[in-house]
Amino acid sequence: MKTPPRPLFRKLFTYAAAMAALAVGGMLVSRPANAVYKQQQQSGLQPPALQPDRSDKLTQQLAFFSLGGLRSLVAEVLTLDATDAWSKRDWPRVQRRWESATTLSPHRVNYWINAATDMTSNAAGDVAAARGLSWAERLAESRAYINRGEQFLLAGIANNPDSWRLHVALAEQYANIYRRPQFSNAAKAFQKALQLGAPSDLERPLFYSLCRTRGKEQEAWQLGRRLFEDEEHQVPALRFLLFVLQNKIQVPADEALSLDRLYRHSPQETKQEVLQTARKEIQLFLNNDLLYPVNGAKEFLGNTPLKE
């Protein structure tokens, strides 16, 4: 993640401050508008106003301007300060800034996604490697940030239920093997994203999540079998998982994909060459750290020694 240069941050902040100063001239006019705003807020037509943290000078300075038409500008200033906090690895401040920005602009989908990324990837990864903390403290703080990232995405979806991008971001968090994976939830989020119009390319990560979800093997097999008909999806991982699923759910012989069908790349290859290709690829995934199932892989390798 590339941090914007500090002079740019100061320039943008100065611009925001200048806009805010112009608004002060209309304070008397704004009083009736503020009353209308409060009525709309009570009826659910407006998001809640920014509540200043008494120990946080920036939110104190911006709280007044969040009441009127400058909410979007204030939110943008807060995201810029989140970037500044990110550059200093000040994760509590990063979290506060994103909480305020998403409160002020709840329909900016990229705010929710960026907030989750900062929590789940940046903050969680950084505290997990912090030398000044004990192992237990690193684990606890890392998990807390992962949970906070999830909460940002869930809140974003609550505010923007038709955004497939938010559902994809949530699915990717759940499918991340380094961030306490929840493959069942990942599959559900991928499926929802696809229903909302997400690119069909996401069917492959959906397949990978289903393969790692207990009780979803049959559904995974059916999806994987359909994907395999497209040469674009005929990658080693998909071939391996189809091989494994056939063994795991005991697909009938007349429905199963033969070794030749799975691993032949050209008509010119001999049966021995196909067998060698299969053996090498299956060996590659036998001890994978991706939490892929390996049913039948060890037995196959033991029964088909590689011939040079």
Side-chain angles (χ1 to χ4, degrees):
M1 179 176 177
K2 187 175 180 181
T3 305
R6 294 300 298 278
L8 175 60
F9 175 82
R10 295 195 186 97
K11 185 182 295 185
L12 289 171
F13 186 85
T14 301
Y15 172 75
M19 291 291 292
L22 289 174
V24 175
M27 286 179 63
L28 294 177
V29 177
S30 71
R31 287 178 181 174
N34 286 344
V36 172
Y37 172 82
K38 289 180 179 178
Q39 291 177 355
Q40 292 177 337
Q41 189 184 68
Q42 291 172 356
S43 62
L45 296 176
Q46 290 280 5
L50 177 64
Q51 297 300 317
D53 181 345
R54 298 304 177 186
S55 63
D56 191 325
K57 292 183 179 180
L58 181 61
T59 54
Q60 289 185 53
Q61 294 167 355
L62 297 178
F64 170 79
F65 304 109
S66 70
L67 292 175
L70 295 176
R71 296 174 66 87
S72 296
L73 182 59
V74 171
E76 195 67 24
V77 171
L78 289 166
T79 66
L80 290 170
D81 193 59
T83 300
D84 182 68
W86 175 91
S87 70
K88 296 179 174 65
R89 297 160 70 180
D90 183 351
W91 306 120
R93 177 156 65 101
V94 172
Q95 179 176 329
R96 292 196 305 272
R97 295 299 178 253
W98 282 121
E99 287 172 347
S100 296
T102 52
T103 296
L104 290 171
S105 294
H107 300 301
R108 286 287 296 272
V109 169
N110 62 307
Y111 282 2
W112 296 105
I113 294 175
N114 292 340
T117 299
D118 269 348
M119 296 294 97
T120 304
S121 297
N122 299 330
D126 186 56
V127 299
R131 294 183 179 181
L133 301 175
S134 68
W135 177 85
E137 290 172 330
R138 292 198 302 271
L139 180 63
E141 291 197 25
S142 178
R143 286 184 174 180
Y145 281 121
I146 291 170
N147 291 338
R148 190 65 192 95
E150 178 187 6
Q151 292 306 312
F152 269 121
L153 292 173
L154 291 173
I157 289 171
N159 282 278
N160 306 275
D162 296 327
S163 170
W164 63 260
R165 291 177 57 211
L166 280 166
H167 287 280
V168 170
L170 184 63
E172 290 175 341
Q173 172 165 336
Y174 286 145
N176 189 326
I177 62 172
Y178 303 107
R179 296 291 181 264
R180 302 181 67 195
Q182 303 176 49
F183 296 118
S184 176
N185 287 335
K188 292 176 184 176
F190 277 128
Q191 288 168 333
K192 183 63 177 179
L194 287 163
Q195 291 172 9
L196 291 171
S200 61
D201 290 349
L202 289 172
E203 286 186 316
R204 198 195 301 171
L206 166 60
F207 168 72
Y208 295 149
S209 291
L210 288 171
C211 286
R212 293 174 285 188
T213 302
R214 181 175 299 180
K216 294 294 183 179
E217 293 86 356
Q218 187 65 45
E219 185 177 347
W221 158 255
Q222 292 174 353
L223 174 58
R225 184 67 182 82
R226 178 167 60 80
L227 292 173
F228 186 75
E229 295 304 315
D230 185 343
E231 289 187 4
E232 182 181 346
H233 293 298
Q234 293 178 12
V235 297
L238 186 132
R239 287 196 294 268
F240 172 76
L241 288 169
L242 284 174
F243 171 85
V244 165
L245 287 170
Q246 291 182 163
N247 286 280
K248 191 172 185 179
I249 63 177
Q250 299 182 341
V251 175
D254 60 335
E255 297 180 19
L257 292 168
S258 67
L259 209 64
D260 190 82
R261 178 76 176 89
L262 280 170
Y263 289 100
R264 177 174 291 280
H265 298 309
S266 72
Q268 291 74 34
E269 288 181 304
T270 66
K271 289 184 178 181
Q272 183 62 28
E273 287 173 332
V274 172
L275 181 62
Q276 289 180 346
T277 298
R279 197 181 190 287
K280 287 179 180 179
E281 289 196 11
I282 291 172
Q283 178 71 59
L284 180 67
F285 286 98
L286 178 61
N287 298 310
N288 74 85
D289 60 355
L290 301 172
L291 305 180
Y292 288 156
V294 295
N295 302 69
K298 187 175 182 180
E299 292 77 6
F300 168 77
L301 293 171
N303 295 328
T304 57
L306 182 62
K307 297 179 181 180
E308 298 296 340

